[in-house]
Coordinates of all heavy atoms in Angstrom, one line a residue:
R988 N -23.1 -14.0 -12.6 CA -23.3 -14.4 -11.2 C -22.0 -14.5 -10.5 O -21.0 -15.1 -11.0 CB -24.0 -15.8 -11.2 CG -24.4 -16.3 -9.8 CD -25.7 -15.7 -9.3 NE -26.9 -16.0 -10.2 CZ -28.1 -15.6 -10.0 NH1 -28.3 -14.8 -8.9 NH2 -29.1 -15.9 -10.8
Q989 N -21.9 -14.0 -9.3 CA -20.7 -14.1 -8.4 C -21.1 -14.8 -7.2 O -22.3 -15.1 -6.9 CB -20.2 -12.7 -8.1 CG -19.8 -11.9 -9.4 CD -19.4 -10.5 -9.0 OE1 -19.5 -10.0 -7.9 NE2 -18.9 -9.7 -10.0
A990 N -20.1 -15.1 -6.4 CA -20.3 -15.7 -5.1 C -21.2 -14.8 -4.3 O -21.0 -13.6 -4.3 CB -19.0 -16.0 -4.4
E991 N -22.1 -15.5 -3.5 CA -23.0 -14.7 -2.7 C -22.2 -13.8 -1.7 O -21.3 -14.3 -1.0 CB -24.0 -15.6 -2.0 CG -25.1 -14.9 -1.2 CD -26.1 -15.9 -0.6 OE1 -26.1 -17.0 -1.1 OE2 -26.8 -15.4 0.3
T992 N -22.6 -12.6 -1.6 CA -21.9 -11.7 -0.7 C -22.3 -11.9 0.7 O -23.4 -12.2 1.0 CB -22.1 -10.2 -1.1 OG1 -21.4 -9.4 -0.2 CG2 -23.6 -9.8 -1.1
S993 N -21.3 -11.8 1.6 CA -21.5 -11.8 3.0 C -21.5 -10.4 3.7 O -21.7 -10.3 4.9 CB -20.5 -12.7 3.7 OG -19.2 -12.2 3.5
A994 N -21.3 -9.4 2.8 CA -21.2 -8.1 3.4 C -22.5 -7.6 3.8 O -23.5 -7.7 3.1 CB -20.6 -7.1 2.3
V995 N -22.6 -7.0 5.0 CA -23.9 -6.4 5.4 C -24.2 -5.2 4.6 O -25.4 -4.9 4.3 CB -23.8 -6.1 6.9 CG1 -25.1 -5.4 7.4 CG2 -23.5 -7.3 7.7
Y996 N -23.2 -4.4 4.3 CA -23.5 -3.1 3.6 C -22.8 -3.0 2.2 O -21.8 -3.7 2.0 CB -23.0 -1.9 4.4 CG -23.4 -2.0 5.9 CD1 -22.5 -2.2 6.9 CD2 -24.8 -1.7 6.2 CE1 -22.9 -2.2 8.2 CE2 -25.2 -1.8 7.5 CZ -24.2 -2.0 8.6 OH -24.7 -2.0 9.9
S997 N -23.3 -2.2 1.4 CA -22.6 -1.9 0.1 C -22.7 -0.4 -0.1 O -23.7 0.3 0.2 CB -23.2 -2.7 -1.0 OG -24.6 -2.4 -1.1
Y998 N -21.7 0.2 -0.8 CA -21.6 1.6 -0.9 C -21.3 2.0 -2.4 O -20.8 1.2 -3.2 CB -20.5 2.2 0.0 CG -20.6 1.8 1.4 CD1 -19.6 0.9 2.0 CD2 -21.6 2.3 2.2 CE1 -19.7 0.5 3.3 CE2 -21.7 1.9 3.5 CZ -20.8 1.0 4.1 OH -20.9 0.6 5.4
N999 N -21.5 3.3 -2.7 CA -21.1 3.7 -4.1 C -19.6 3.9 -4.2 O -18.9 4.0 -3.2 CB -22.0 4.9 -4.5 CG -21.5 6.2 -3.8 OD1 -21.0 6.2 -2.7 ND2 -21.8 7.3 -4.4
E1000 N -19.2 4.1 -5.4 CA -17.7 4.2 -5.7 C -17.1 5.4 -5.0 O -16.0 5.3 -4.5 CB -17.4 4.2 -7.2 CG -16.0 4.3 -7.5 CD -15.1 3.2 -6.9 OE1 -15.6 2.1 -6.9 OE2 -14.0 3.6 -6.4
S1001 N -17.8 6.5 -4.9 CA -17.3 7.7 -4.3 C -16.9 7.5 -2.8 O -15.9 7.9 -2.3 CB -18.3 8.9 -4.4 OG -18.4 9.3 -5.7
R1002 N -17.8 6.8 -2.1 CA -17.5 6.5 -0.7 C -16.4 5.5 -0.6 O -15.5 5.7 0.3 CB -18.8 5.9 0.0 CG -18.4 5.4 1.4 CD -19.6 5.3 2.3 NE -19.2 4.7 3.6 CZ -20.0 4.6 4.6 NH1 -21.2 5.0 4.6 NH2 -19.6 4.0 5.7
M1003 N -16.3 4.5 -1.4 CA -15.2 3.5 -1.3 C -13.9 4.1 -1.6 O -12.9 3.8 -0.9 CB -15.5 2.3 -2.2 CG -16.7 1.5 -1.8 SD -16.9 -0.1 -2.7 CE -17.4 0.6 -4.3
A1004 N -13.9 5.1 -2.6 CA -12.6 5.8 -2.9 C -12.2 6.6 -1.7 O -11.0 6.7 -1.4 CB -12.8 6.6 -4.1
F1005 N -13.2 7.3 -1.1 CA -12.8 8.2 0.0 C -12.3 7.4 1.2 O -11.3 7.8 1.8 CB -14.1 8.9 0.5 CG -13.9 9.8 1.7 CD1 -13.3 11.0 1.7 CD2 -14.5 9.3 2.9 CE1 -13.1 11.7 2.8 CE2 -14.3 10.1 4.1 CZ -13.6 11.3 4.0
E1006 N -12.9 6.2 1.5 CA -12.4 5.4 2.6 C -11.2 4.6 2.4 O -10.6 4.1 3.3 CB -13.6 4.5 3.1 CG -14.7 5.3 3.7 CD -15.8 4.4 4.3 OE1 -16.0 3.3 3.8 OE2 -16.5 4.8 5.2
R1007 N -10.7 4.6 1.1 CA -9.4 4.0 0.9 C -8.3 4.9 1.4 O -7.2 4.5 1.7 CB -9.2 3.7 -0.6 CG -9.9 2.5 -1.1 CD -9.5 2.1 -2.5 NE -10.1 2.9 -3.5 CZ -11.2 2.7 -4.1 NH1 -12.0 1.6 -3.8 NH2 -11.7 3.5 -5.1
I1008 N -8.6 6.2 1.4 CA -7.7 7.2 2.0 C -8.0 7.4 3.5 O -7.1 7.3 4.3 CB -7.7 8.5 1.2 CG1 -7.3 8.3 -0.3 CG2 -6.9 9.6 1.9 CD1 -7.5 9.5 -1.1
W1009 N -9.2 7.7 3.7 CA -9.6 8.1 5.1 C -10.2 6.8 5.8 O -11.4 6.6 6.0 CB -10.6 9.2 5.1 CG -9.9 10.5 5.0 CD1 -9.7 11.3 3.9 CD2 -9.1 11.1 6.0 NE1 -8.9 12.3 4.1 CE2 -8.5 12.3 5.5 CE3 -8.9 10.9 7.4 CZ2 -7.7 13.1 6.2 CZ3 -8.1 11.7 8.1 CH2 -7.5 12.8 7.5
T1010 N -9.2 6.0 6.2 CA -9.5 4.8 6.9 C -9.9 5.0 8.3 O -9.8 6.1 8.9 CB -8.3 3.9 6.9 OG1 -7.2 4.6 7.6 CG2 -7.8 3.6 5.5
D1011 N -10.4 4.0 9.0 CA -10.8 4.1 10.4 C -9.5 4.5 11.2 O -9.7 5.3 12.2 CB -11.3 2.8 11.0 CG -12.7 2.5 10.4 OD1 -13.4 3.5 10.0 OD2 -13.1 1.3 10.5
A1012 N -8.4 4.0 10.9 CA -7.2 4.3 11.7 C -6.8 5.8 11.5 O -6.4 6.5 12.5 CB -6.0 3.5 11.2
N1013 N -7.0 6.3 10.3 CA -6.7 7.8 10.1 C -7.7 8.6 10.8 O -7.3 9.7 11.4 CB -6.7 8.1 8.6 CG -5.4 7.7 7.9 OD1 -4.4 7.6 8.5 ND2 -5.4 7.6 6.6
Y1014 N -8.9 8.3 10.8 CA -9.9 9.1 11.5 C -9.7 9.0 13.0 O -9.8 10.0 13.8 CB -11.3 8.6 11.2 CG -12.0 9.5 10.2 CD1 -12.3 9.1 8.9 CD2 -12.4 10.8 10.6 CE1 -12.9 9.9 8.0 CE2 -13.1 11.6 9.7 CZ -13.3 11.2 8.4 OH -13.9 12.0 7.5
A1015 N -9.3 7.8 13.5 CA -9.0 7.7 15.0 C -7.9 8.6 15.4 O -7.9 9.2 16.4 CB -8.7 6.2 15.3
E1016 N -6.8 8.6 14.6 CA -5.7 9.5 14.9 C -6.1 11.0 14.8 O -5.7 11.8 15.6 CB -4.5 9.2 13.9 CG -3.3 10.0 14.2 CD -2.6 9.6 15.5 OE1 -2.9 8.5 16.0 OE2 -1.9 10.5 16.1
L1017 N -6.9 11.3 13.8 CA -7.3 12.7 13.7 C -8.2 13.1 14.9 O -8.0 14.2 15.5 CB -8.1 12.9 12.4 CG -8.8 14.3 12.2 CD1 -7.7 15.3 12.1 CD2 -9.6 14.3 10.9
N1018 N -9.1 12.3 15.3 CA -10.0 12.6 16.4 C -9.2 12.7 17.7 O -9.4 13.5 18.6 CB -11.1 11.6 16.6 CG -12.2 11.8 15.5 OD1 -12.5 12.9 15.1 ND2 -12.8 10.7 15.1
R1019 N -8.2 11.8 17.9 CA -7.3 11.9 19.1 C -6.6 13.3 19.1 O -6.5 13.9 20.2 CB -6.3 10.8 19.0 CG -5.4 10.7 20.3 CD -4.1 9.9 20.0 NE -3.3 10.5 19.0 CZ -2.5 11.5 19.2 NH1 -2.4 12.1 20.4 NH2 -1.7 12.0 18.3
A1020 N -6.1 13.7 18.0 CA -5.4 15.0 17.9 C -6.3 16.1 18.2 O -5.9 17.1 18.9 CB -4.7 15.1 16.6
L1021 N -7.5 16.1 17.6 CA -8.4 17.2 17.7 C -8.9 17.4 19.2 O -9.2 18.5 19.6 CB -9.6 17.0 16.8 CG -9.3 17.1 15.3 CD1 -10.6 16.8 14.5 CD2 -8.7 18.4 14.9
S1022 N -9.0 16.2 19.9 CA -9.5 16.3 21.2 C -8.6 17.0 22.2 O -9.0 17.4 23.3 CB -9.8 14.9 21.8 OG -8.5 14.2 21.9
Q1023 N -7.3 17.2 21.8 CA -6.3 17.9 22.6 C -6.2 19.4 22.4 O -5.5 20.0 23.1 CB -5.0 17.2 22.3 CG -4.9 15.7 22.6 CD -3.6 15.1 22.2 OE1 -2.6 15.8 21.8 NE2 -3.5 13.8 22.2
I1024 N -7.0 20.0 21.6 CA -6.9 21.4 21.3 C -8.3 22.1 21.5 O -9.3 21.4 21.6 CB -6.5 21.7 19.8 CG1 -7.4 21.0 18.8 CG2 -5.0 21.2 19.7 CD1 -7.0 21.3 17.4
P1025 N -8.3 23.4 21.7 CA -9.6 24.1 22.0 C -10.6 23.9 20.9 O -10.2 23.7 19.7 CB -9.1 25.5 22.2 CG -7.7 25.5 22.6 CD -7.1 24.3 21.8
L1026 N -11.9 24.1 21.2 CA -12.9 24.0 20.2 C -12.7 24.8 19.0 O -13.0 24.4 17.9 CB -14.3 24.3 20.9 CG -14.9 23.3 21.8 CD1 -16.2 23.8 22.4 CD2 -15.2 22.0 21.1

């Protein structure tokens, strides 16, 4: 038994590992850069 979680969501390990690298900040920077170039 652990302390009751307050997290709304839970994910599998593959997603958590991916998001340790591809953080919201990294995605925001990527999208900013992509918006400046042709489709």
